[in-house]
Amino acid sequence: MNESGAATTDRLLDLFHGVRLTPTQRRIAHCLMRHAGAAAYLSAAEVAELAGVSQPSVTRFAMALGHDGYPALRRRLRELGSGSTPPTDGGNPLQRAVRAELGNLDRLAGQLADAGPIAEVGRLLAASRPLPVLGLRAAAPLAAYFAYFAAKVHPDVRVLDDGGSLLADRLEQASAAGASALLALVLPRYPRETLDALGEARDLGLTVVAITDSAVSPAAEHADVVLPAAVGTDLVFDLHTAPMALAMVVLQAICDATPAETQARLEAFESSAARRQLFLG
């Protein structure tokens, strides 16, 4: 996402801010976010098809935002995007995809200007013993990557990367063992099992922290804390550069929440690694 695209996305988020949206309306909002560059030029029928909803739902969505119909909302979207300009150095498609990730990271950095919310998330997750980390399908590698490092500073990290009936069992087991929070990685195309698991986690009394691709993603309906980080959509498969960076920022916040314990655990690991000659350097 280039600089102007990020600005347009921010203005779209402002448009939705403070509006109580239904689940269907969240899908429409998220669709507009995903297609921010073209949103102002899509018809109601095209938005409905992209979001997988009915055309009347798009009209009701526009009215929920205070407009008398979708044409008025589209005019507003064009006003929001009027200050944007096309990038001057597009390059080839591969270069554009990588440069878009720079924009996603820059936007994430802007969100972190106030470090307070992330620090609170760090304290919340550090206090959960055990700490379940949920990531299914495309999010499974990111959950495993986070958990690999988190296990060096947290005494009991449990990766939940398989769906099915066993997932509910493992959530119940984590809750019974004393878990108070769940970290969920929720990426497009949003597995139904993931969203169901978030609901089950909240029913068990766990505080759900979700790293997802936007503040209006389907995960937002089921999470207590939403941490957005945009995914790259310019290649055949999504790029998860910003979500991975945000996951490691969250891990840093966990370390900062328990500095003495973190230091002791890291020193113990380094001592063990040296004794077993795990690494060459």
Side-chain angles (χ1 to χ4, degrees), residues 59-77:
T59 300
R60 288 192 291 270
F61 169 75
M63 296 176 70
L65 296 180
H67 302 280
D68 58 10
Y70 180 75
L73 173 59
R74 186 164 62 176
R75 287 194 296 272
R76 178 60 178 149
L77 294 176

Side-chain angles (χ1 to χ4, degrees), residues 74-88:
R74 186 164 62 176
R75 287 194 296 272
R76 178 60 178 149
L77 294 176
R78 290 179 180 176
E79 292 171 3
L80 291 176
S82 62
S84 62
T85 56
T88 56

Side-chain angles (χ1 to χ4, degrees), residues 121-134 154 156 158 160 171 174-175 178-184 201 204-209 224:
V121 166
R123 289 188 288 269
L124 177 70
L125 297 178
S128 183
R129 311 291 176 95
L131 172 60
V133 180
L134 173 66
H154 190 287
D156 191 354
R158 303 187 183 186
L160 311 180
L171 280 171
S175 177
S180 57
L182 167 76
L183 176 63
L204 290 168
L206 301 182
T207 300
V208 174
V209 177
D224 298 287

